[in-house]
Amino acid sequence: MARPTPLSGFPEWLPAGRIVEQHVLDRLRRTFELHGYAPVATRAVEPLEDLLRKGETSKEVYTIQRLHDDAEAAGARERQLGLHFDLTVPLARYVLENAGQLPFPFKRYQIQPVWRGERPQEGRFREFTQADIDVIGAEDLPFHFEVEVALVMAEALAALPIGGVRIAVNNRKVAEGFYAAIGMEDVEGVLRAIDKLDKIGPAAVEETLLAQGASASQARACLDLAAISGADARVADRVRALGVRSDLMETGLGELVALLDGAAAADAAGTIVADLKIARGLDYYTGTVYETTLVGHESLGSICSGGRYDSLASDGARTYPGVGLSVGVSRLVARLLGTGLVSASRQVPTAVVVAVLNDEDRPVSNRVAAALRARGIPTEVSPSAAKFGKQIRYADRRGVPFVWFPGADGAPHQVKDIRSGDQREADSGTWEPPAEDLWPQVTGR
């Protein structure tokens, strides 16, 4: 077989990178479950018309089609399928199909791959893993869940070796009420323009607003609002100081302050902060919106985002509002590995390699390995009965800390820490490695 041509946009980690990714997934999963979020997995495909309902994603959807068409497949084209590009569309469908069996408010987490046909670039992939948490209500969803999901995600990210994170929050009601009060007709257009502020800068955003029909004073007012940030109720005072009044804006400010107060009560005031330039360009957000960055590494961009949506799904009789956050796990892992911020202590789970004295005695080594595994110690047997030096080098190349030497002719077994050179007698029924050596450690710098 000829050397394969790499496909861009489809991440495949080396073993050490995969260990880092699994560590991230395990910590997220553990935290979500500690807070009562139930695991959900949905199918990879959805009807194409459902995926395209928002319109702006049409160029990103991968469609599903059989290679060999026939009459049955031709008929199926009327309901063509596509790979899901996020986990929100599948969640909406899942809630509608299972509403009669779900407890509401329904707290779910979902960790699955998604597919987007966009141009691959650093940190952006065509296939990647997302980790989402959402709380879904039936007809009503209390505001306190907008506080809860932020706190849960802050705790989950704090469990990773990535340093501090900052969850910037805003409320769409503040922005929409403000824009409408100053006479902006295309509120959604303003939100999309402000959402690009960090990428293109204030001058370019002002030009965009002017091109959309805003006056110079209106554009300046929008940028003045976006410049406000803070960690307490003084944020609301600064908004009001701009001289704009709106009932919708006041409702949003009340919710924004309540979120900041909830963060302060949970000792997360420095982690969850208000930033009124956070807009989230998608038009289905209706309340709180979130963007998360790594402290000291803001240039890496957002690693987690989401918001409140009052109409996740509706069956005509009931409406299901929700609030949620999504971590782009593959994007996060790629950035962590690419910048060297996180690494694994070894590239295999193995803590012990059991040496083989000779091929005839391999069953002895197999029994030692089985005894260690039965006690939860990841163990493998050396692939060859080479000289012990070569078997030690085999373990060393893989980062395995210990080599076990079965005793010959009834002699006691011994285990060697190949990092320090310490070697001592050991019994496979009682010996265990230090806790930090039992499994690969993932650490940050």
Side-chain angles (χ1 to χ4, degrees):
M1 179 179 177
R3 184 181 180 87
T5 302
L7 285 176
S8 61
F10 297 88
E12 292 180 326
W13 316 120
L14 292 172
R18 175 59 176 158
I19 285 173
V20 169
E21 183 181 46
Q22 286 183 316
H23 177 85
V24 170
L25 295 174
D26 289 344
R27 293 302 183 275
L28 294 175
R29 183 183 300 111
R30 176 65 172 166
T31 305
F32 298 160
E33 292 183 352
L34 282 172
H35 287 269
Y37 288 75
V40 163
T42 58
R43 65 198 185 204
V45 298
E46 297 293 336
L48 191 58
E49 64 266 26
D50 292 343
L51 294 173
L52 301 183
R53 204 174 295 279
K54 289 292 181 181
E56 70 272 9
T57 58
S58 60
K59 294 181 180 180
E60 299 181 358
V61 176
Y62 283 107
T63 59
I64 302 296
Q65 182 178 341
R66 287 181 58 180
L67 181 62
H68 299 289
D69 214 345
D70 54 27
E72 179 183 354
R77 279 202 300 269
E78 297 178 5
R79 191 167 173 77
Q80 193 172 6
L81 302 178
L83 294 171
H84 58 227
F85 57 83
D86 70 5
L87 299 178
T88 302
V89 172
L91 174 62
R93 188 262 312 158
Y94 180 91
V95 168
L96 289 177
E97 288 186 357
N98 298 284
Q101 304 175 68
L102 295 176
F104 290 99
F106 175 50
K107 300 168 63 171
R108 85 81 162 93
Y109 78 89
Q110 189 169 348
I111 300 176
Q112 283 186 244
V114 300
W115 295 266
R116 291 183 189 173
E118 59 184 356
R119 182 174 65 86
Q121 51 187 300
E122 184 183 2
R124 289 194 174 275
F125 303 107
R126 293 171 174 170
E127 177 184 35
F128 55 97
T129 298
Q130 280 190 194
D132 289 16
I133 57 169
D134 287 86
V135 184
I136 310 302
E139 297 294 355
D140 177 62
L141 184 67
F143 171 78
H144 66 79
F145 286 114
E146 296 179 43
V147 182
E148 177 182 311
V149 294
L151 293 173
V152 171
M153 189 59 76
E155 182 179 328
L157 295 173
L160 304 177
I162 58 177
V165 299
R166 179 171 290 112
I167 300 179
V169 298
N170 193 4
N171 194 294
R172 288 285 286 264
K173 296 171 187 175
V174 174
E176 292 175 3
F178 183 94
Y179 300 151
I182 64 173
M184 299 298 296
E185 296 182 0
D186 184 7
V187 171
E188 295 299 331
V190 178
L191 285 167
R192 285 191 291 271
I194 294 297
D195 196 41
K196 299 176 182 177
L197 195 54
D198 282 339
K199 294 180 181 179
I200 64 177
V205 170
E206 185 173 9
E207 288 183 12
T208 301
L209 293 174
L210 293 173
Q212 291 175 352
S215 68
S217 61
Q218 287 173 325
R220 175 46 50 192
C222 292
L223 290 172
D224 287 343
L225 178 69
I228 295 174
S229 62
D232 56 36
R234 286 174 291 184
V235 167
D237 297 332
R238 292 177 62 191
V239 173
R240 296 186 184 105
L242 296 177
V244 176
R245 295 292 180 267
S246 160
D247 290 343
L248 182 61
M249 185 186 81
E250 286 298 327
T251 299
L253 286 175
E255 292 179 354
L256 183 59
V257 170
L259 176 53
L260 296 176
D261 289 344
D267 297 323
T271 299
I272 300 174
V273 299
D275 187 341
L276 273 69
K277 70 175 178 293
I278 304 301
R280 301 295 296 150
L282 298 175
D283 59 10
Y284 54 71
Y285 290 120
T286 56
T288 303
V289 287
Y290 314 86
E291 289 278 4
T292 308
T293 54
L294 294 179
V295 175
H297 303 278
E298 288 79 6
S299 62
L300 297 180
S302 175
I303 62 169
C304 173
S305 59
R308 166 80 181 231
Y309 32 87
D310 284 329
S311 298
L312 169 74
S314 176
D315 58 10
R318 301 178 88 186
T319 298
Y320 301 91
V323 61
L325 280 156
S326 175
V327 181
V329 175
S330 299
R331 175 182 172 87
L332 174 60
V333 171
R335 295 297 181 86
L336 295 177
L337 295 176
T339 56
L341 291 175
V342 169
S343 61
S345 60
R346 57 184 188 258
Q347 60 179 305
V348 294
T350 309
V352 185
V353 168
V354 181
V356 178
L357 300 176
N358 52 63
D359 288 332
E360 290 74 22
D361 287 335
R362 180 171 289 275
V364 175
S365 299
N366 289 340
R367 286 194 293 272
V368 171
L372 293 172
R373 292 186 201 114
R375 297 176 45 243
I377 302 172
T379 307
E380 62 178 287
V381 177
S382 177
S384 69
K387 291 182 179 180
F388 281 164
K390 188 172 183 179
Q391 296 187 59
I392 292 172
R393 286 194 293 275
Y394 168 81
D396 187 43
R397 285 195 302 270
R398 295 156 66 82
V400 180
F402 296 97
V403 174
W404 189 285
F405 301 105
D409 300 323
H413 295 222
Q414 295 193 339
V415 65
K416 182 184 185 72
D417 184 333
I418 63 175
R419 300 161 299 183
S420 66
D422 179 65
Q423 184 168 327
R424 61 188 61 193
E425 293 184 7
D427 186 300
S428 60
T430 57
W431 178 86
E432 58 185 35
E436 63 270 18
D437 290 327
L438 183 59
W439 297 99
Q441 299 295 300
V442 175
T443 56
R445 66 169 176 82

